[in-house]
Amino acid sequence: MCLYLSNLGLGPKVIDKSNGEVLSKESWYVTNQFSLEVIFHNTMKHYKCLTNDSSLASAIYVPYYGGLDLGQYLWGGFNISTRDASPKEIMKWLAQQPQWKRIWGRDHFMVLGRIGWDFRRRSDKEHDWGTKLMFLPEAKNMSFLLIESGGSYDNDFPIPYPTYFHPSKDMEIFQWQEKMRKMKRPYLFSFAGAPRPQSSSSIRSELIKHCQSSRSCKLLRCQHGSQNNCNDPKHVMKVFQRSVFCLQPPGDSFTRRSTFDSILAGCIPVFFDPQSAYKQYLWHFPKNDSSYSVYIPESDVKGKKVMINETLSTVSEREVLAMRKEVIRLIPRITYSDPSSRLETIEDAFDIAVKRVLGRIEKIRREITNVKDSRVDFSNMKNTISYLEGDKGSK
């Protein structure tokens, strides 16, 4: 993982020998899908509205790399005491800080680079998965930005996975969007992924069969090892750029980084479960799901009620053009720019996340103020947002 934390969390820079045929010449990196914590933290260091006086801050950001910390212990038989040690320590420390005690952490927020399921272990059985970070009493007062929600909780908010593209200038985004508008797309649909034979509920094997049986589909099979082309930005983007639709079934969890790679390539995502996007990225995606994507119920695939090729062929050219236009419009909203620079006229995924979390905190502050003015004990109220690094970098 250390290799992927280079370049402020963006990973090694991509060397594209195609002279810009697939990727643009600058700003492409081999970014790991779980590196969001580092990218967000390094971007926050250059945020325009930082203050060293936390008493003036609208929110307090806690730069704890919970996902990277947990990643050390998810495999290898580590017991729950080891997995829970750091989460308990950070929460204990936070609760002792004067900033926390103002409104009991409801103005604190944390960014986690893994899915919510990893941080909400429901039991103390050694074989159970993950940590209890988000179930700890203090955590219930905080807000969490993470790559996938862990369910119907009111204090976690999914934000995009990091893609491979991290522009430093507005013009790089404009030029990339124009490149995607002009791209020729010979394949009706494509799928980049691997089957899940151990999962009886997975439809991936069925989708691979659909793809293999159609001349209109391009399959990029993922595999373990150094020869896995699904971890190579050039291979992934080349497939998606040449496709009209990109299949995005659930994998190990509901969501996929591939969804954002496909949008970056101007490829219309096809979802099979509402939890893969529609009920997740409410801050970054349009409310009208059909404006940028196609939905095919997972049950229809399992029940062999649908042929993917035939279903997608019925989408009219007018509808395709409208959806592609919306997908390309979304590119800045799902892109994390280079942390060492700031875009001038464009809001990227970071900007939108910060704006929305600040708005949420401000709403909670007003609610707390109203309750306090009414002389009601508000110490048991839930929710809020945050930032803390010693007493530096409050926002």
Side-chain angles (χ1 to χ4, degrees):
M1 189 66 188
C2 292
L3 176 67
Y4 296 106
L5 302 184
S6 60
N7 293 312
L8 303 177
L10 305 183
K13 196 157 189 176
V14 174
I15 306 300
D16 185 10
K17 298 180 181 180
S18 68
N19 196 30
E21 179 183 342
V22 178
L23 309 178
S24 47
K25 295 182 180 180
E26 301 290 337
S27 304
W28 289 84
Y29 299 81
V30 185
T31 304
N32 187 276
Q33 64 176 340
F34 298 130
S35 62
L36 178 60
E37 296 155 350
V38 182
I39 295 172
F40 202 98
H41 185 199
N42 283 315
T43 304
M44 184 64 79
K45 291 176 181 178
H46 297 90
Y47 185 62
K48 61 184 179 181
C49 296
L50 294 181
T51 175
N52 289 325
D53 186 349
S54 59
S55 67
L56 301 176
S58 301
I60 297 180
Y61 161 63
V62 183
Y64 167 54
Y65 297 172
L68 292 178
D69 181 33
L70 172 60
Q72 304 174 89
Y73 308 117
L74 279 176
W75 297 272
F78 292 96
N79 60 36
I80 59 173
S81 297
T82 300
R83 284 179 269 154
D84 288 343
S86 292
K88 288 181 177 179
E89 183 179 358
I90 186 67
M91 287 302 172
K92 180 180 178 180
W93 180 83
L94 281 173
Q96 295 171 346
Q97 304 309 306
Q99 296 91 342
W100 179 273
K101 295 176 182 179
R102 287 182 306 183
I103 51 175
W104 305 105
R106 294 176 179 84
D107 57 352
H108 287 53
F109 75 95
M110 187 181 290
V111 176
L112 297 171
R114 299 187 69 94
I115 66 173
W117 177 261
D118 293 342
F119 306 101
R120 283 197 167 99
R121 194 185 67 247
R122 294 183 176 275
S123 79
D124 287 331
K125 296 178 180 178
E126 294 293 347
H127 67 270
D128 210 349
W129 181 262
T131 75
K132 278 193 169 182
L133 170 63
M134 296 176 73
F135 277 150
L136 294 176
E138 298 86 355
K140 294 178 181 180
N141 283 358
M142 297 177 62
S143 294
F144 292 89
L145 312 186
L146 66 178
I147 56 177
E148 178 183 315
S149 174
S152 56
Y153 299 97
D154 58 5
N155 68 331
D156 58 352
F157 304 91
I159 61 177
Y161 285 72
T163 66
Y164 302 113
F165 184 45
H166 305 282
S168 58
K169 299 177 182 178
D170 295 31
M171 187 54 64
E172 291 182 67
I173 291 183
F174 297 146
Q175 290 174 344
W176 179 256
Q177 287 177 301
E178 186 60 23
K179 180 182 177 73
M180 294 305 99
R181 291 186 187 101
K182 296 179 179 179
M183 191 65 61
K184 294 182 179 179
R185 302 178 184 270
Y187 299 110
L188 176 63
F189 65 108
S190 63
F191 175 56
R196 292 290 189 273
Q198 74 282 5
S199 174
S200 59
S201 62
S202 176
I203 61 170
R204 287 186 168 213
S205 294
E206 284 299 314
L207 295 182
I208 289 173
K209 292 177 183 177
H210 280 261
C211 187
Q212 290 175 324
S213 65
S214 173
R215 294 182 179 180
S216 300
C217 183
K218 178 65 176 178
L219 177 64
L220 180 62
R221 297 200 71 145
C222 302
Q223 57 190 12
H224 293 293
S226 58
Q227 300 302 314
N228 185 5
N229 288 331
C230 291
N231 290 332
D232 185 331
K234 296 187 294 295
H235 281 89
V236 172
M237 297 307 292
K238 185 175 181 179
V239 170
F240 288 172
Q241 286 172 6
R242 302 177 71 193
S243 305
V244 177
F245 298 99
C246 290
L247 307 185
Q248 301 298 344
D252 296 325
S253 67
F254 289 114
T255 63
R256 307 179 72 204
R257 198 264 284 276
S258 179
T259 293
F260 301 97
D261 292 334
S262 69
I263 290 174
L264 184 60
C267 185
I268 301 165
V270 179
F271 298 115
F272 302 86
D273 191 306
Q275 290 286 354
S276 292
Y278 305 149
K279 295 184 179 181
Q280 297 282 345
Y281 307 102
L282 306 182
W283 288 357
H284 292 78
F285 283 174
K287 291 182 179 180
N288 183 2
D289 304 329
S290 63
S291 69
Y292 71 96
S293 68
V294 171
Y295 176 66
I296 300 175
E298 201 170 32
S299 58
D300 286 358
V301 177
K302 291 179 180 178
K304 303 186 185 303
K305 299 178 181 179
V306 63
M307 290 296 295
I308 304 298
N309 184 73
E310 293 178 3
T311 299
L312 296 179
S313 294
T314 62
V315 182
S316 70
E317 182 66 19
R318 180 183 60 81
E319 291 174 305
V320 166
L321 292 175
M323 283 189 282
R324 185 182 301 147
K325 181 179 179 180
E326 182 67 359
V327 165
I328 293 174
R329 185 189 70 83
L330 291 174
I331 289 176
R333 299 178 65 88
I334 58 94
T335 299
Y336 294 95
S337 60
D338 187 327
S340 64
S341 61
R342 298 304 302 139
L343 302 178
E344 295 180 2
T345 64
I346 296 175
E347 287 188 333
D348 70 353
F350 171 89
D351 294 320
I352 293 168
V354 169
K355 178 186 290 187
R356 295 301 296 266
V357 84
L358 284 173
R360 171 179 161 76
I361 293 172
E362 179 58 31
K363 179 181 178 182
I364 292 171
R365 283 184 181 277
R366 289 197 301 266
E367 292 174 352
I368 289 175
T369 300
N370 291 337
V371 172
K372 187 176 181 181
D373 289 345
S374 299
R375 298 184 180 180
V376 176
D377 179 13
F378 63 95
S379 61
N380 291 321
M381 291 179 63
K382 296 181 178 180
N383 290 341
T384 253
I385 305 181
S386 65
Y387 185 171
L388 191 63
E389 191 173 29
D391 197 25
K392 293 172 57 181
S394 298
K395 172 172 66 73

